């Protein structure tokens, strides 16, 4: 069974309710049909019945709950809660009503906040900022977490490196240029995400263009300091740096460049020094290595909400719904 099939099986074993707010997009309906047919999750589609009937085409979404913000009897409670949460920022009842009736992503996040859904998947036709802004405003960060960050779950075919070809790349979607403390927190969160999604031990490499002092530069110093902070945050975690990519994942190179390291050559969680490196790295592996790339998935938010690439397929949405469900299982 492939990795995403294992995730789907785990999702089916304890079904969660996931909101799909992008009901203007055909891919949402194609994905919804598959999710419902395979029994991966219960789904909520946000929009009027007229809108959804017009947009769904021939896809069978009869098992999904359709929630129309204009008629749902819980909308008033959502408005009141949003005002309460954002009143220090000047939110009025009129503004909250306008936002929730016209912006389905905000409405979906409020459903998660109020316990009417376990998670949300969005981003097929909205930017990462549009998807994550309401999460940061409404759901906030998870207790014990200082930072919301993003990762990609990479599944590389016919690969013995990592966890049989499965890796987490962090942060490859959100934090532009994290300082050492942020980079350390991204490493800790990414390790936890790996453990939740694979059930296996994370082995974390803090990546750089240098291995163990082979180059001198402030960019290298940042990774060295982040490694030190991460060790202080979680002394038991298998984590090492600074490591070049080949030293991190190729056993013979790791043994040569970083002898004595328990991480070098065996890493399955790769922490990139900045967003440029992470974004370029995941796209190289996806396009040249023919890897499945799921994300950007979020970590550190108080409830699971995940972003999609705007170039995603319906099949990608199905996979992210399954991943979001497994994340929700871990939070209960």
């Amino acid at each position: 069974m492939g990795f995403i099939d294992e995730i789907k099986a785990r999702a089916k074993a304890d079904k969660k309710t996931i909101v799909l707010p992008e009901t203007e997009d055909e891919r949402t309906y194609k994905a919804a049909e598959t999710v419902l047919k395979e029994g991966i999750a219960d789904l909520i589609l946000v929009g009027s019945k007229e809108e959804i009937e017009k947009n769904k085409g021939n896809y069978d979404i009869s098992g999904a709950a359709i929630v129309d913000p204009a008629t749902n009897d819980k909308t008033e409670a959502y408005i009141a809660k949003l005002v309460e949460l954002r009143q220090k920022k000047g939110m009025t009842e009129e503004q909250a009503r306008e936002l929730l009736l016209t912006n389905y992503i905000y409405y979906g996040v409020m459903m998660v906040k109020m316990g009417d859904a376990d998670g949300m998947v969005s981003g097929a036709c909205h930017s990462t900022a549009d998807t994550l802004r309401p999460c940061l405003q409404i759901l906030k960060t998870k207790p014990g977490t200082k930072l919301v960050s993003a990762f990609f779950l990479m599944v590389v075919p016919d690969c013995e490196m990592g966890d049989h070809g499965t890796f987490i790349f962090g942060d490859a979607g959100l934090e532009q240029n994290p300082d050492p403390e942020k980079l350390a927190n991204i490493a800790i969160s990414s390790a936890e995400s790996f453990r939740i999604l694979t059930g296996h031990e994370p082995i974390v490499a803090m990546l750089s263009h240098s291995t163990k002092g082979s180059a001198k530069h402030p960019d290298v110093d940042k990774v060295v300091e982040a490694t030190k902070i991460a060790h202080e945050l979680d002394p038991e975690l298998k984590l090492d740096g600074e490591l070049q990519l080949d030293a991190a994942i190729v056993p013979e190179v790791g043994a040569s460049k970083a002898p004595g390291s328990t991480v070098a050559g065996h890493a399955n969680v790769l922490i990139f020094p900045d967003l440029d490196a992470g974004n370029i790295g995941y796209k190289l592996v996806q396009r040249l290595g023919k890897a499945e790339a799921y994300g950007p998935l979020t970590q550190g938010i108080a409830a699971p909400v995940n972003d999609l690439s705007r170039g995603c397929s319906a099949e990608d949405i199905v996979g992210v719904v399954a991943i979001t469900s497994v994340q929700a299982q871990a939070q209960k």
Side-chain angles (χ1 to χ4, degrees):
M1 198 162 39
F3 176 78
I4 203 64
D5 294 316
E6 293 178 14
I7 289 286
K8 287 179 181 179
R10 289 169 62 191
K12 292 176 192 178
D14 180 14
K15 276 209 288 188
K16 298 301 178 186
T17 299
I18 306 300
V19 182
L20 299 178
E22 294 179 309
T23 47
E24 68 271 41
D25 195 291
E26 180 189 5
R27 290 168 294 178
T28 296
Y29 299 101
K30 186 175 182 181
E33 182 180 67
T34 301
V35 168
L36 295 167
K37 184 178 179 181
E38 296 186 14
I40 295 167
D42 294 323
L43 294 180
I44 297 172
L45 301 177
V46 182
S48 71
K49 289 184 178 178
E50 292 76 20
E51 285 177 288
I52 289 173
E53 187 61 36
K54 182 180 75 174
N55 293 335
K56 75 178 182 65
N58 294 320
Y59 295 110
D60 180 8
I61 55 160
S62 54
I66 294 173
V67 172
D68 182 353
T71 60
N72 184 23
D73 58 8
K74 294 186 177 181
T75 295
E76 293 302 319
Y78 295 169
I79 291 168
K81 185 65 174 179
L82 183 56
V83 172
E84 176 191 326
L85 291 169
R86 301 291 294 165
Q87 61 187 355
K88 289 182 180 177
K89 298 292 184 180
M91 178 72 72
T92 66
E93 182 179 334
E94 183 179 344
Q95 289 170 334
R97 186 180 303 279
E98 172 73 12
L99 193 58
L100 292 179
L101 291 180
T102 60
N103 189 316
Y104 292 168
I105 296 178
Y106 269 91
Y107 198 90
V109 172
M110 284 305 305
M111 297 192 83
V112 176
K113 177 69 175 179
M114 300 293 275
D116 295 318
D118 299 302
M120 186 182 83
V121 174
S122 180
C125 48
H126 290 85
S127 69
T128 295
D130 286 340
T131 294
L132 295 186
R133 188 180 302 109
C135 303
L136 299 175
Q137 291 176 351
I138 295 166
L139 298 174
K140 313 290 187 182
T141 55
K142 188 163 61 174
T145 303
K146 291 185 178 179
L147 179 73
V148 173
S149 57
F151 66 93
F152 278 81
L153 181 70
M154 307 296 295
V155 183
V156 186
D158 304 316
C159 177
E160 294 182 359
M161 291 176 280
D163 187 26
H164 304 291
T166 298
F167 295 88
I168 273 180
F169 286 15
D171 180 328
L174 188 59
E175 273 292 324
Q176 188 73 46
N177 190 14
D179 61 23
E181 185 176 6
K182 286 183 176 180
L183 199 58
N185 277 280
I186 289 166
I188 300 298
S189 291
S190 297
E192 181 186 10
S193 293
F194 185 87
R195 190 178 283 111
I196 288 169
L197 293 175
T198 69
H200 300 160
E201 182 183 24
I203 304 172
V204 185
M206 308 295 283
L207 297 182
S208 173
H209 68 273
S210 168
T211 296
K212 298 297 183 180
S214 65
K216 304 295 181 185
H217 191 274
D219 288 350
V220 178
D221 297 340
K222 178 176 89 165
V223 178
V224 172
E225 180 64 18
T227 303
K228 178 183 173 185
I229 295 169
H231 278 306
E232 291 169 354
L233 292 172
D234 189 349
E236 302 300 315
L237 180 62
K238 275 192 179 179
L239 178 146
D240 200 6
E242 84 283 18
L243 294 170
Q244 291 165 289
L245 187 279
D246 56 354
I249 65 172
V250 182
E252 54 268 31
V253 178
S256 171
K257 289 188 174 183
S261 172
T262 59
V263 170
H266 306 286
N268 48 38
V269 178
L270 304 180
I271 305 303
F272 292 83
D274 57 40
L275 189 57
D276 282 339
N279 186 272
I280 292 165
Y282 104 75
K283 287 183 176 176
L284 274 171
V285 175
Q286 179 187 32
R287 300 299 179 180
L288 300 185
K290 310 298 184 186
E292 298 169 37
Y294 296 96
L297 305 169
T298 57
Q299 52 194 8
I301 298 177
V305 173
N306 283 315
D307 189 22
L308 297 160
S309 165
R310 277 174 283 180
C312 71
S313 66
E315 188 176 327
D316 294 333
I317 299 174
V318 174
V320 175
V321 167
I323 289 167
T324 307
S325 297
V326 170
Q327 290 175 315
Q329 291 170 1
Q331 289 201 301
K332 296 300 182 184

